[in-house]
């Protein structure tokens, strides 16, 4: 008995270590490689102003109210800056997103353990389906890209999946399960504080609807835990509505205006056709073959039933897809709620393949699908060094160590996959090879991303970061005559508030001051002020990598 417990404990620790290792590669390695995105700029600027002395409860962005998004992800970034000090190191600023992505994977692991606890395959390999599903989710393409970006979506969906895990745990409990339901309510509330009700609409609603329907064999437990579900709802509303109510009380007109703008945006901005999300399976990345196979109901349903509740998982996925498709505003990252059920289905397919081939029960169709996956895998391995050659980026050419490592490692993986999976038909080899390939691509190629972004950079262009330390403007108050793009505000390293002319005369009390404008002459200044002020053109900077992206001017305004 003791030996069995020891082996089980070692297996659990090994599985946890493997999941954390995959999360480390997926979310943290080369964390500062991509340049800051638009959404990150908004988050980081708001966090910077919190740390600089602004309000944590009424956030600002460039000293203007920032109420369009709830503040929890911004609080997380501000907390990092409070600990490490004001920083522009993107790896530090993206650390909270990586941690939340890791929590998403761990929450999903727990959720799948609950959903598969009664499946027949759990008798022979307890916990293997849940463990493998965590590895699949952690290495899925959209999860990796979103977990590396310091914005709101990964927070909202991570807390949501954690809430689903605790809800299922509460519904499956023999007692009242109030602790699980209270925890689920807390996580739902934190999801609301991360991005409003978006994740609840696209994740909670379809899952609970399917779990309480005939798609779930254990749906009777939902009715017997009504009080627990009510407790979860009360806690969720109490936590999630605390900040909106605070904002509504203190800045009601601005809050209502922002709410109206956001509702309008759902209908008018980034509008895409209803079928925009129907390529969702591509965003599973290295697991696309297994994901597609699991969606072929005639092929997958009978095969996956011993490993997971297939109807529930498929219903969860399709219901989320339909709800997302009904909203006119669509973006790729909005597909994040589709990845957990898709990862669950793909994992069921992997579990079937490894069991069927190990027991020599695989059909001809199974062999063909597996060999097709081997072909795709080999093609990717060959394409990596070819892409390195074609890109012609410095440090990645044929005479570099990176290129040599890419050829050797990708070639070795291709040979390993062909021999182990293609000839001997061992799916576990292909699973391990796919995880290794994902880690290799991140480690080897992600440093090329900034070089690829800058490949069209015109030489000799000066940007905001190059001029912000000019002695003539350093330490002076800064103002902008036109609304400055938030990426430029982030590059400024400090706020550049908009000067509301001609009514706002307060900046005149802080002369001399630096003024930024997209015009060489500051003709916007009222004529009566111009007679008293001296305006000296100090410098200029370009907004992008090319001259056509625009040019802004810096002037020093002082008393005559």
């Amino acid at each position: 008995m003791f030996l069995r417990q020891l082996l089980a404990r070692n297996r659990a620790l090994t599985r946890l270590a493997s999941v954390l290792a995959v999360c480390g590669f997926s979310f943290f390695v080369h964390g500062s490689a991509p340049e800051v995105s638009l959404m990150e700029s908004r988050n980081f600027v708001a966090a910077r102003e919190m740390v600089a002395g602004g309000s944590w409860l009424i956030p600002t962005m460039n000293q203007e109210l920032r109420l369009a998004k709830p503040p929890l992800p911004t609080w997380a970034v501000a907390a990092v800056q409070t600990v490490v000090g004001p920083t522009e190191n993107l790896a530090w600023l993206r650390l909270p997103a990586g941690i939340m992505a890791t929590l998403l994977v761990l929450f999903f692991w727990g959720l799948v353990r609950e959903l598969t606890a009664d499946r027949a395959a759990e008798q022979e390999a307890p916990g293997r389906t849940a463990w493998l599903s965590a590895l699949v989710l952690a290495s899925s393409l959209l999860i990796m890209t979103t977990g590396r970006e310091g914005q709101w979506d990964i927070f909202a969906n991570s807390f949501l999946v954690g809430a689903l895990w605790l809800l299922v745990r509460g519904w499956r409990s023999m007692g009242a399960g109030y602790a699980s339901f209270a925890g689920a309510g807390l996580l739902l509330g934190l999801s609301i504080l991360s991005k409003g009700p978006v994740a609840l609409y696209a994740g909670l609603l379809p899952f609970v609807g399917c779990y309480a329907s005939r798609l779930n064999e254990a749906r009777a437990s939902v009715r017997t835990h009504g009080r627990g579900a009510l407790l979860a709802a009360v806690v969720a509303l109490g936590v999630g509505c605390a900040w909106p109510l605070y904002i509504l009380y203190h800045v009601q007109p601005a809050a209502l205006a922002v709410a109206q703008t956001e509702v309008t945006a759902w209908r008018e901005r980034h509008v895409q056709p209803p079928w925009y999300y129907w390529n969702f399976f591509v965003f599973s990345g290295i697991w696309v073959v297994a994901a597609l196979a699991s969606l072929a109901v005639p092929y997958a349903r009978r095969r996956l039933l011993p490993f997971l509740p297939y109807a529930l998982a498929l219903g969860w996925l399709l219901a989320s897809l339909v709800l997302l498709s009904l909203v006119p505003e669509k973006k790729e990252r909005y597909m994040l709620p589709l990845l957990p059920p898709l990862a669950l289905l793909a994992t069921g397919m992997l579990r079937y393949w490894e069991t069927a081939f190990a027991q020599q029960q695989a059909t001809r169709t199974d062999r063909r699908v597996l060999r097709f996956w081997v072909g795709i895998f080999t093609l990717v391995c060959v394409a990596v060094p070819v892409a390195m050659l074609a890109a012609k980026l410095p440090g990645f050419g044929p005479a570099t160590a990176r290129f040599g490592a890419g050829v050797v490692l990708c070639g070795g993986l291709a040979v390993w996959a062909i021999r182990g999976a293609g000839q001997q038909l061992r799916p576990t080899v292909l699973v391990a090879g796919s995880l290794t390939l994902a880690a290799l691509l991140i480690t080897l190629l992600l440093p090329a991303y900034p070089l690829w972004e800058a490949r069209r950079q015109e030489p000799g262009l000066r940007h905001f970061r190059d001029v912000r330390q000019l002695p003539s403007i350093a330490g002076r108050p800064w103002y902008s005559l036109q609304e400055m793009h938030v990426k430029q505000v982030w590059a400024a390293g400090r706020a550049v508030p908009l000067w509301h002319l001609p009514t706002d005369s307060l900046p005149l009390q802080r002369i001399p001051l630096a003024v930024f404008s997209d015009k060489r002459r500051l003709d916007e200044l009222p004529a009566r002020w111009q007679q008293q002020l001296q305006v000296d053109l100090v410098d200029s900077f370009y907004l992008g990598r090319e001259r056509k992206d625009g040019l802004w001017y810096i002037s020093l305004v002082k008393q005559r």
Side-chain angles (χ1 to χ4, degrees):
M1 179 64 71
F2 173 76
L3 182 60
R4 183 179 301 174
Q5 293 177 348
L6 182 62
L7 291 175
R9 182 178 301 176
N10 289 339
R11 183 171 60 246
L13 291 176
T14 301
R15 288 178 174 178
L16 177 60
S18 64
V19 170
L20 294 179
V22 172
C23 289
F25 279 102
S26 294
F27 311 129
F28 299 102
V29 173
H30 299 310
S32 60
E35 71 173 21
V36 66
S37 67
L38 172 61
M39 299 303 293
E40 285 184 311
S41 297
R42 293 170 176 168
N43 196 22
F44 296 165
V45 167
R48 183 175 66 192
E49 294 184 13
M50 286 180 181
V51 176
S55 173
W56 286 56
L57 291 176
I58 306 179
T60 60
M61 185 177 71
N62 203 27
Q63 296 188 6
E64 300 282 347
L65 286 178
R66 172 61 176 168
L67 308 177
K69 294 290 188 294
L72 195 150
T74 309
W75 290 342
V77 177
V80 169
Q81 294 200 57
T82 302
V83 173
V84 305
T87 179
E88 295 182 7
N89 186 316
L90 294 179
W92 279 115
L93 298 174
R94 289 166 175 160
L95 181 63
I99 293 175
M100 291 309 303
T102 303
L103 283 177
L104 169 62
V105 172
L106 297 178
F107 286 150
F108 183 65
W109 190 354
L111 173 61
V112 177
R113 281 187 65 92
E114 297 292 338
L115 293 177
T116 60
D118 299 329
R119 310 314 293 183
E122 290 298 297
Q123 302 298 322
E124 298 179 2
R128 183 170 178 82
T129 302
W131 168 63
L132 190 56
S133 70
L135 295 176
V136 170
L137 186 67
S139 52
S140 295
L141 178 61
L142 188 59
I143 298 294
M144 290 194 294
T145 56
T146 311
R148 288 177 164 272
E149 190 173 0
Q151 37 94 340
W152 292 263
D153 294 85
I154 194 65
F155 282 79
N157 284 277
S158 178
F159 287 128
L160 174 71
V161 172
L164 296 182
W165 164 47
L166 292 179
L167 282 175
V168 175
R169 188 175 182 181
W171 283 325
R172 286 176 47 83
S173 64
M174 299 301 295
Y178 288 139
S180 296
F181 286 113
L186 174 62
L187 292 179
L188 286 174
L190 295 178
S191 179
I192 296 172
L193 285 178
S194 298
K195 205 183 175 183
V198 175
L200 276 63
Y201 168 78
L204 177 68
L205 185 59
F207 179 85
V208 173
C210 292
Y211 195 88
S213 72
R214 294 184 178 182
L215 297 176
N216 179 27
E217 301 166 358
R219 60 185 178 276
S221 62
V222 177
R223 293 192 296 270
T224 60
H225 289 85
R227 292 182 178 178
L230 179 61
L231 173 63
V234 170
V235 174
L237 290 175
V239 175
C241 294
W243 180 79
L245 291 175
Y246 178 88
I247 291 297
L248 196 62
Y249 178 78
H250 285 85
V251 286
Q252 181 176 355
L256 294 177
V258 169
Q260 181 61 43
T261 301
E262 290 298 304
V263 171
T264 303
W266 294 346
R267 302 192 307 264
E268 299 179 357
R269 288 192 304 192
H270 306 289
V271 175
Q272 300 292 344
W275 55 86
Y276 180 77
Y277 291 134
W278 290 83
N279 64 341
F280 64 92
F281 52 86
V282 175
F283 292 89
S284 61
I286 58 176
W287 311 111
V288 64
V289 175
L292 274 174
S294 69
L295 296 175
V297 177
Y299 171 78
R301 182 175 183 178
R302 177 178 54 84
R303 289 171 167 83
L304 270 59
L305 280 177
F307 305 98
L308 52 86
Y310 181 75
L312 173 62
L314 184 63
W316 175 17
L317 173 67
L318 296 180
S320 296
L321 178 61
V322 169
L323 290 180
L324 286 172
S325 300
L326 292 176
V327 180
E329 184 186 21
K330 297 178 178 67
K331 297 179 183 179
E332 287 183 354
R333 56 187 170 86
Y334 291 175
M335 284 189 283
L336 206 56
L338 302 178
L339 268 294
L342 185 61
L344 177 57
L345 290 168
T347 301
M349 201 74 258
L350 297 176
R351 287 285 288 121
Y352 164 74
W353 284 336
E354 68 177 14
T355 303
F357 282 101
Q359 298 176 356
Q360 298 183 350
Q361 296 177 351
T363 65
R364 180 180 299 178
T365 303
D366 297 332
R367 295 187 182 93
R368 287 176 176 174
V369 174
L370 193 67
R371 289 193 172 107
F372 175 73
W373 188 9
V374 172
I376 296 295
F377 181 89
T378 305
L379 184 62
V380 173
C381 290
V382 173
V384 169
V386 173
M388 294 175 71
L389 283 176
K392 298 181 180 179
L393 297 177
F396 292 84
T400 62
R402 282 196 181 100
F403 181 79
V407 171
V408 172
L409 295 175
C410 288
L413 283 175
V415 172
W416 185 38
I418 291 172
R419 294 185 59 183
Q423 297 177 359
Q424 302 176 16
L425 297 177
R426 293 163 54 196
T428 51
V429 171
L430 202 51
V431 171
S434 297
L435 292 170
T436 305
L437 179 61
L440 173 63
L441 293 177
I442 292 171
T443 306
L444 192 64
L445 298 185
L446 203 56
Y449 193 80
L451 300 175
W452 178 258
E453 288 182 319
R455 68 192 184 281
R456 297 179 180 176
Q457 172 82 41
E458 292 186 22
L461 300 188
R462 287 155 54 83
H463 297 93
F464 209 152
R465 293 184 184 277
D466 303 317
V467 301
R468 66 185 186 181
Q469 296 297 336
L470 289 173
S472 56
I473 64 173
R476 308 283 190 191
W478 288 5
Y479 290 92
S480 172
L481 293 188
Q482 293 82 30
E483 186 172 355
M484 183 175 285
H485 193 281
V486 69
K487 279 193 172 185
Q488 300 301 324
V489 177
W490 170 247
R494 55 187 283 193
V496 190
L498 182 64
W499 192 351
H500 297 278
L501 295 174
T503 57
D504 185 9
S505 60
L506 184 61
L508 295 179
Q509 303 176 17
R510 307 181 67 189
I511 284 179
L513 51 86
V515 176
F516 298 81
S517 175
D518 60 4
K519 300 180 181 63
R520 181 182 291 269
R521 294 174 56 87
L522 304 186
D523 295 329
E524 293 91 338
L525 293 176
R528 65 181 185 276
W529 294 0
Q530 294 185 25
Q531 298 175 2
Q532 306 172 18
L533 302 175
Q534 177 180 336
V535 179
D536 297 327
L537 183 64
V538 175
D539 211 325
S540 61
F541 60 92
Y542 286 91
L543 302 182
R545 298 187 177 92
E546 301 177 87
R547 285 176 170 81
K548 66 180 183 180
D549 294 330
L551 178 69
W552 272 51
Y553 300 91
I554 309 172
S555 300
L556 186 64
V557 178
K558 52 189 177 182
Q559 201 77 34
R560 285 187 184 274

